[in-house]
Amino acid sequence: MALRIFITGGTGFIGSQVVLDALKAGHQLRLSVRREAQVEEVKARFPQHASKLDFAVIPNIDNAEAIRSALSNDINAIFHLASPVPGKVDDFKTEYLQPAVAGTEAILNAAAETPTVKRVIIMSSILALMPPDSMNTPGLEVKAGINPTLAINPEMSFPSGPAGHGAKYATSKILAHRATIGWMRVHEPQFSLVTLHPTFVLGRDLTQQTSKPNGVNAYLMATLTNPPGGKPVVPASMVDVRDVSLTVLRSLDVELGREELVTEYLVVGDPTCYDDVVEFVKTKYPAIPVNTEGPYDEPFTVDTSRTEKELGITRWHSMEEMVSSVLDQQLEIRGREGMAAL
């Protein structure tokens, strides 16, 4: 059944894939954008579906009244995909924590005041279910339900550079998810709530316009082309952006028990490791300079059995499909721009 869906973060990497797949499924979408200029950018990205798109310009996602106005009593579901991007902002409290926590609470408050909203889906992260600084812990198994037990201090200090941005992002995800659980404990909304917890998301980026990749795609390229001895930026716990989008859309229809305040679905592709990634790239893409060397840390593991069972996920895109989708796009763009392969 076609629904009217309000989406935040629909201009980003994951969000653009979700928008495309939701449009293909026949849904009518209202996208929140921060600037008026983004309206034409998004329309140009999905020219075949312009009649199914409308927009609400909301500069600050923590503005509950602006969100409530955008819902306008005709929205059936909300995809809250917006999130601070590590490295593109700096101050922890105002640029990471405030948008993550207050933005989520604003969405929930506005949804609770809109009787037509029956399902809210929030894009969280696997980092919201992991102890801080535990990404490279050998043998770590990530499970649902652990967030309230994680020890976290919002007044903590952070290192500088990329490590600091990663820590700020992870901390904001932990606290935003905790705020979501806390909100649901004290309210009795008419909607049910799903949170999705993907690992590190790779794939063809509908928003990439230049030869410089973004997000985890950029981390993959940096890992492969680092000077010898350079180590991976993120663990080899990966998931394809197409699979993440599929879990969003499948979460619209899944039957949820009312006894569960928040339904958490963990999202990760089949287990892999950087040894396999490196061997695959060297074999299929010999022109790409692969400089990284092992040994590599064992990636953490994630139990996705509930996600697969309840959302009907029968297969995840393979490591080879994920990596190829990234590398093929980079080579295509560089070819169009008349640049050397890499």
Side-chain angles (χ1 to χ4, degrees):
M1 181 179 68
L3 301 175
R4 297 186 64 85
I5 305 170
F6 177 72
I7 302 180
T8 73
T11 61
F13 168 44
I14 295 174
S16 291
Q17 186 68 48
V18 172
V19 167
L20 175 61
D21 292 340
L23 289 169
K24 287 181 176 179
H27 298 299
Q28 189 81 25
L29 308 183
R30 181 168 300 140
L31 272 58
S32 167
V33 295
R34 298 187 67 180
R35 302 181 306 277
E36 188 71 40
Q38 291 176 293
V39 171
E40 295 307 316
E41 293 174 10
V42 174
K43 287 182 178 179
R45 191 171 296 150
F46 309 106
Q48 308 94 325
H49 303 285
S51 63
K52 297 178 184 176
L53 283 169
D54 64 77
F55 300 85
V57 180
I58 304 176
N60 297 309
I61 200 61
D62 57 358
N63 186 335
E65 183 54 40
I67 296 168
R68 174 66 186 87
S69 177
L71 300 182
S72 65
N73 290 321
D74 65 351
I75 294 295
N76 310 120
I78 297 174
F79 298 165
H80 180 39
L81 313 178
S83 175
V85 179
K88 292 191 175 182
V89 294
D90 184 55
D91 185 77
F92 171 64
K93 288 192 174 180
T94 62
E95 295 179 304
Y96 280 100
L97 189 59
Q98 172 73 12
V101 173
T104 299
E105 291 177 337
I107 289 288
L108 295 173
N109 286 326
E113 296 174 5
T114 308
T116 56
V117 173
K118 302 302 181 183
R119 178 68 51 91
V120 175
I121 300 167
I122 295 177
M123 186 64 64
S124 182
S125 167
I126 201 68
L127 299 174
L129 304 175
M130 297 172 62
D133 302 322
S134 65
M135 277 200 308
N136 295 314
T137 302
L140 177 67
E141 182 179 1
V142 183
K143 299 179 180 180
I146 194 175
N147 177 276
T149 70
L150 298 177
I152 195 76
N153 178 13
E155 303 299 326
M156 66 187 290
S157 59
F158 297 92
S160 59
H165 287 300
K168 292 172 187 176
Y169 177 77
T171 303
S172 72
K173 284 297 187 181
I174 292 171
L175 293 173
H177 189 49
R178 187 167 297 175
T180 300
I181 296 170
W183 189 95
M184 291 294 288
R185 281 190 180 129
V186 298
H187 294 80
E188 295 184 359
Q190 80 287 354
F191 58 82
S192 51
L193 178 65
V194 171
T195 60
L196 299 174
H197 300 267
T199 54
F200 299 97
V201 185
L202 287 172
R204 179 172 287 269
D205 185 351
L206 300 179
T207 72
Q208 184 181 343
Q209 300 297 318
T210 71
S211 59
K212 184 178 180 181
N214 302 302
V216 180
N217 289 353
Y219 295 157
L220 173 66
M221 300 305 298
T223 293
L224 294 174
T225 59
N226 268 341
K231 296 301 181 182
V233 181
V234 295
S237 295
M238 306 172 184
V239 63
D240 193 288
V241 67
R242 292 166 290 187
D243 292 331
V244 176
S245 179
L246 178 61
T247 63
V248 174
L249 294 181
R250 292 278 177 88
S251 296
L252 271 176
D253 304 319
V254 64
E255 290 286 337
L256 301 177
R258 293 298 297 181
E259 70 280 358
E260 192 172 33
L261 290 176
V262 178
T263 299
E264 300 173 345
Y265 288 126
L266 281 57
V267 184
V268 62
D270 293 329
T272 189
C273 63
Y274 275 110
D275 292 295
D276 292 342
V277 173
V278 168
E279 180 180 358
F280 171 71
V281 175
K282 284 183 175 180
T283 301
K284 184 173 181 181
Y285 299 90
I288 293 179
V290 178
N291 299 319
T292 181
E293 298 176 348
Y296 303 107
D297 293 328
E298 177 187 353
F300 58 82
T301 60
V302 179
D303 181 3
T304 59
S305 57
R306 181 182 183 184
T307 305
E308 293 164 0
K309 179 181 179 181
E310 296 187 6
L311 299 187
I313 307 294
T314 57
R315 74 175 292 269
W316 304 96
H317 284 85
S318 67
M319 176 274 289
E320 293 83 359
E321 290 171 312
M322 281 189 281
V323 172
S324 290
S325 68
V326 176
L327 298 185
D328 288 346
Q329 182 178 25
Q330 306 319 306
L331 295 174
E332 290 166 13
I333 292 175
R334 294 179 75 88
R336 288 200 304 268
E337 295 183 356
M339 303 172 67
L342 275 174

